[in-house]
Amino acid sequence: MQIADRIIIVTGASAGIGQATAVSLAKRGAHLILTARRKDRLANLAADLAVYPGRILCIAGDIGDTTFARVLIERAITEFGRVDVLINNAGVGHQSALATMPIADAQTIFNVNVLGLLAATQAVIPQMQRQGGGQIVNVSSIVGQRPLPMSGVYCASKTAVNFLSRSLRMELRHDHITITLVYPGLTATEFADAKLGKPGSNRFGLRGVPSEQVAAKIATAIEKQQTEVYVTRLDWAFVHLNRLFPRTFDWLTDRAARRMIF
Ligand SMILES: NC(=O)c1ccc[n+]([C@@H]2O[C@H](COP(=O)([O-])OP(=O)(O)OC[C@H]3O[C@@H](n4cnc5c(N)ncnc54)[C@H](OP(=O)(O)O)[C@@H]3O)[C@@H](O)[C@H]2O)c1
């Protein structure tokens, strides 16, 4: 699919992977609907993107509020008449033990990472069916396939995203709607600072790959209609070797996480 002139919604566009994706798609001539809670960040990004030919519309709100998620899609359809791609990227993590983390934090994580994504997806499907096709890109994580200690609810939310996406792929197989799962590994963004629990304590955070590298993979996934996307070979190996040696990986992951994250 050619990106120029496509109507693309990016959630979580005020920072990190979402922001880099918006820049990358704007450079390729897409019309963008950008959303996140921080209005000022969205406005600054829209001003930066004004040099590119596509139209940019910012709609601020909390994607964890499923009513907002639906209103977002309805507004996009009203303003642009169609939606070619929905990129469900907004996400939040935590750094806290499952034994003691507040249930309210777990609810926030599931509301944003899973239910907001599902509500936006449900709202866009009828439009994509009417227009004869589209693409939904869900930004998951390698830790949805191989959990880490101290972020069990976040990992579980990404596993939920993986399974929802794969079910949807089967349910929509006759509708020409491509469901793409992107599995980033550690990426240098503000994600660690925004974590619930103990934000800012991830010393390893900024050593990840640049968010532009993930954004480039997302752009290619749209152009080539890819369905399963890893950002680096190491991420791919991490997931697949884990399947072969799960107990060794439990030991290795626990040790590495304790040295690098806590
Ligand atoms: N960084 C990594 O190492 C990594 C690795 C694998 C996967 N991922 C995934 O990549 C995606 C993007 O993360 P990132 O690394 O770019 O993190 P980030 O820099 O913290 O950006 C997160 C984005 O999500 C938005 N967001 C968070 N809560 C929201 C809410 N309730 N409503 C609306 N928007 C909300 C934030 O905007 P506002 O705060 O303005 O609302 C921000 O734009 C997430 O799904 C994350 O799970 C990240």
Side-chain angles (χ1 to χ4, degrees), residues 12 14 17 37-38 62-63 89 140 154 158 184-185 187 189-190:
S14 64
I17 293 169
R37 290 165 301 179
R38 285 171 289 180
D62 182 347
I63 202 78
N89 162 76
S140 178
Y154 172 70
K158 293 301 186 181
T187 310
T189 67
E190 298 166 20

Side-chain angles (χ1 to χ4, degrees), residues 3 11 18 30 34 41 47 53 68 88 94 124 128 181 187 189 241:
I3 288 173
T11 75
L34 305 177
R41 290 267 198 127
F68 171 73
N88 285 308
H94 69 101
V124 88
M128 288 185 174
L181 269 166
T187 310
T189 67
L241 289 175

Side-chain angles (χ1 to χ4, degrees), residues 90-101:
V92 62
H94 69 101
Q95 187 168 310
S96 37
L98 285 172
T100 52
M101 82 179 280

